[in-house]
């Protein structure tokens, strides 16, 4: 069986010395491959800061429940690179992945290109080879100069909530970041816009006026109400009564509302309430408030300590966690935190402060761009938290199991890279 890892390792070495966000490298390679990005099923292009992957998972679930074939491109992966590319519903196999990567590598002829750019081109090549009904496409960073934005025509765009993130690339204000995210807007192509802070909404509306893209906006063009098991989406008096998604947290109900609004805008596709509800109930999106029920890491905790995993890494993600905790019994929360050194750990922790019973910090092994456990503890303690560095995940979990009789919750959070390590240690595929 072909192993794609050696090719992926070679592609990493093609990275330019500086990350200069642009589209020309990817467009040149696409042109030399016969423009596969112009030979795909209708595209739904999704940007935003939080919720992109979740809304794609929910849309995929509903479309597949209705018998549609769906290609999906998301990032980053958690355990295996293959997770980023789903072809007609299936995670791409090693042989097919190796094939498309080799084709792209040869066509690129050793020129500098970012890893994300060349692997995005590879995904488009895979999608062009297999028929489908829809392509669900997630931006990697920003929107305007994201490699996915080489797709100049789309059936629909979606902008999820925008918040402060990746300031080193996208700008120092919410207005600047939202303008970059809105770079995916296409002339005449509708865009479904999730609820936004005022500054972000103003920037998106300005870009929409500039390019001539009609907006379908949450709270203006559709509204959402939800209970513990059901949700209602009202679009101009057209009301859908649906199952609340199986994904944990009230933020996922909001993401599902966006998914419904987007599904209703897909040309030539009509989905029943039953198909949408089935898809929402069965949707899976690993490392987003995922319960870990077995495996090596879970073993020390026993039955009274519930282990949860979340890869969110910014303040908006922490606010979603806080909303989830507010819905639940006030059990002690033991948080194990690991973060990349480009993030703001104190800002992330602030929404969780009322719920924290204990806080431990850990390294993220294999990731040079991560805070060390000691450094991370020092940073958050300077903001009034009480964090203790742990030697590693296993040790942190062992300490909690020793000191906490339960019942209680244990949450590992702060980084998708850390989440990937947890899933691998738990023997789970993403």
């Amino acid at each position: 069986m072909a192993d794609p890892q050696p090719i992926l390792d070679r592609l990493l070495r093609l990275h330019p010395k500086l990350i200069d966000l642009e589209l020309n490298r990817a467009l040149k390679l696409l042109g030399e491959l016969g423009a596969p990005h112009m030979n795909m099923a209708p595209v739904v292009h999704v940007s935003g800061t939080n919720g992109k992957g979740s809304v794609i998972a929910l849309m995929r679930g509903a479309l597949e429940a209705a018998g549609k074939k769906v290609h999906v491109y998301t990032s980053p992966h958690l355990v295996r690179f293959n997770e980023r590319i789903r072809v007609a519903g299936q995670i791409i196999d090693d042989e097919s992945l190796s094939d498309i990567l080799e084709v792209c590598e040869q066509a690129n002829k050793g020129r500098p290109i970012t890893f994300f750019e060349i692997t995005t081109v590879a995904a488009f090549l895979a999608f062009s080879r297999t028929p489908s009904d829809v392509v669900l496409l997630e931006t990697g960073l920003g929107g305007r100069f994201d490699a996915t934005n080489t797709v100049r025509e789309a059936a629909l765009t979606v902008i999820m909530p925008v918040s402060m993130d990746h300031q080193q690339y996208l700008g120092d204000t919410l207005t600047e970041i939202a303008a970059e995210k809105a770079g995916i807007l296409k002339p005449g192509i509708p865009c479904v816009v999730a609820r936004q802070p005022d500054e972000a909404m103003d920037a998106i509306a300005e870009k929409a006026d500039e390019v001539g893209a009609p907006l379908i906006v949450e709270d203006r063009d559709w509204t959402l109400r939800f209970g513990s098991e059901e949700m209602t989406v009202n679009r101009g008096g057209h009301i859908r009564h649906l199952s609340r998604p199986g994904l944990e947290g009230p933020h996922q109900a909001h993401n599902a509302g966006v998914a419904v609004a987007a599904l209703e805008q897909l040309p030539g596709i009509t989905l029943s309430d039953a198909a949408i509800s089935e898809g929402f109930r069965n949707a899976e999106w690993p490392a987003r408030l995922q319960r870990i029920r077995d495996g090596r890491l879970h073993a020390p905790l026993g039955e009274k300590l519930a282990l949860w995993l979340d890869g969110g890494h910014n303040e908006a993600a922490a606010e979603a966690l806080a909303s989830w905790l507010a819905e639940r019994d006030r059990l002690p929360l033991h948080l194990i935190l690991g973060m990349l050194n480009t993030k703001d750990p104190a800002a992330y922790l602030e929404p969780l402060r009322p719920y924290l019973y204990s806080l431990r910090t850990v390294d993220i092994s294999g990731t040079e761009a991560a805070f060390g456990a000691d450094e991370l503890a020092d940073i958050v303690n300077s903001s009034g938290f009480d964090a203790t560095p742990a030697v590693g995940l296993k040790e942190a979990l062992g300490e909690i199991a020793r000191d906490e009789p339960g019942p209680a919750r244990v949450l590992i959070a702060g980084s998708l890279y850390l989440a990937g390590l947890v899933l691998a240690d738990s023997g789970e595929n993403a």
Side-chain angles (χ1 to χ4, degrees):
M1 179 66 71
D3 180 5
Q5 193 57 52
I7 312 170
L8 292 167
D9 292 341
R10 292 198 301 269
L11 297 183
L12 275 168
R13 294 195 288 270
L14 297 174
H15 203 289
K17 292 181 180 179
L18 296 174
I19 296 181
D20 52 332
L21 298 180
E22 57 147 283
L23 299 180
N24 289 337
R25 290 183 294 261
L27 284 169
K28 181 176 180 62
L29 180 55
L30 285 163
E32 292 180 352
L33 290 168
H37 61 312
M38 303 294 287
N39 189 31
M40 301 190 299
V43 168
V44 179
H45 198 184
V46 183
S47 75
T49 305
N50 290 91
K52 300 188 298 294
S54 293
V55 81
I56 284 175
L58 291 161
M59 291 183 70
R60 176 172 74 87
L63 288 161
E64 290 180 348
K68 304 299 182 183
K69 290 185 177 180
V70 186
H71 296 333
V72 180
Y73 182 58
T74 56
S75 61
H77 61 279
L78 296 172
V79 181
R80 300 169 62 230
F81 178 89
N82 307 52
E83 300 159 31
R84 299 186 184 210
I85 303 172
R86 282 184 177 266
V87 180
Q90 300 299 315
I91 292 177
I92 193 167
D93 60 76
D94 284 349
E95 186 170 352
S96 300
L97 178 58
S98 296
D99 178 43
I100 59 170
L101 292 175
E102 284 182 345
V103 171
C104 291
E105 181 183 34
Q106 291 169 9
N108 189 62
K109 301 182 179 68
R111 293 188 299 262
I113 191 167
T114 73
F115 183 76
F116 185 75
E117 287 165 352
I118 196 166
T119 52
T120 298
V121 171
F124 293 167
L125 183 60
F127 296 161
S128 71
R129 291 177 170 183
T130 301
S132 73
D133 297 296
V134 180
V135 176
L136 301 179
L137 192 60
E138 178 190 10
T139 59
L141 179 65
R144 181 166 63 115
F145 290 123
D146 190 81
T148 59
N149 209 30
T150 51
V151 174
R152 295 305 193 188
E153 296 182 8
L156 178 69
T157 60
V158 179
I159 302 179
M160 297 302 289
V162 175
S163 60
M164 300 299 290
D165 206 12
H166 297 299
Q167 289 96 311
Q168 67 270 41
Y169 301 117
L170 304 180
D172 294 324
T173 68
L174 206 54
T175 296
E176 291 173 317
I177 293 170
E180 291 295 321
K181 304 282 188 183
I184 68 167
L185 294 174
K186 313 289 192 290
I189 302 302
C191 176
V192 172
V193 185
R195 183 182 299 154
Q196 304 285 344
D198 289 344
E199 311 96 290
M201 190 65 239
D202 289 345
I204 293 167
E206 181 177 344
K207 183 66 175 179
D209 286 343
E210 179 185 322
V211 303
L215 300 182
I216 300 94
V217 180
E218 185 172 5
D219 298 327
R220 186 191 74 184
D221 300 305
W222 90 88
T223 57
L224 168 72
R225 298 184 67 180
F226 61 90
S228 59
E229 296 183 1
E230 297 183 347
M231 54 182 279
T232 301
V233 179
N234 184 338
R235 181 178 56 83
H238 174 65
I239 299 174
R240 288 185 182 266
H241 299 282
L242 304 164
S243 296
R244 184 166 161 170
L247 303 175
E248 288 280 348
H251 60 293
Q252 295 294 5
H254 285 286
N255 291 338
V258 180
V260 172
L263 291 165
E264 290 186 338
Q265 293 296 321
L266 284 178
I269 293 178
T270 302
L271 301 185
S272 67
D273 289 359
I276 294 175
S277 291
E278 179 186 347
F280 284 1
R281 286 193 301 269
N282 297 327
E284 295 180 348
W285 191 226
R288 282 75 175 180
L289 267 176
Q290 179 181 356
R291 179 79 181 268
I292 305 296
R293 298 183 183 275
D294 50 30
R296 185 176 73 91
L297 293 177
H298 178 271
L301 298 181
E303 295 299 319
K304 291 190 175 181
L305 301 181
L307 180 59
W308 294 86
L309 176 66
D310 190 79
H313 48 254
N314 55 31
E315 188 174 358
E319 287 170 352
L321 280 175
S323 296
W324 174 71
L325 289 164
E327 283 192 332
R328 306 176 80 83
D329 296 335
R330 290 297 290 266
L331 298 176
L333 175 68
H334 300 274
L335 177 61
I336 301 172
L337 182 71
M339 298 196 86
L340 297 187
N341 57 22
T342 55
K343 307 304 177 185
D344 185 343
Y348 172 84
L349 285 173
E350 194 58 42
L352 299 173
R353 189 189 288 269
Y355 303 96
L356 288 177
Y357 188 82
S358 77
L359 172 60
R360 290 169 173 82
T361 58
V362 293
D363 298 337
I364 305 178
S365 61
T367 306
E368 293 182 3
F371 289 114
D374 292 330
E375 180 186 11
L376 183 55
D378 288 343
I379 290 170
V380 300
N381 287 344
S382 68
S383 296
F385 293 93
D386 184 14
T388 301
V391 175
L393 276 173
K394 184 178 179 182
E395 290 77 12
L397 290 164
E399 291 170 6
I400 294 168
R402 181 193 66 212
D403 298 337
E404 171 60 76
R409 294 188 183 90
V410 180
L411 173 64
I412 302 172
S415 166
L416 284 170
Y417 294 93
L418 179 62
L421 295 176
V422 171
L423 291 176
D425 260 348
S426 301
E428 297 195 22
N429 292 318

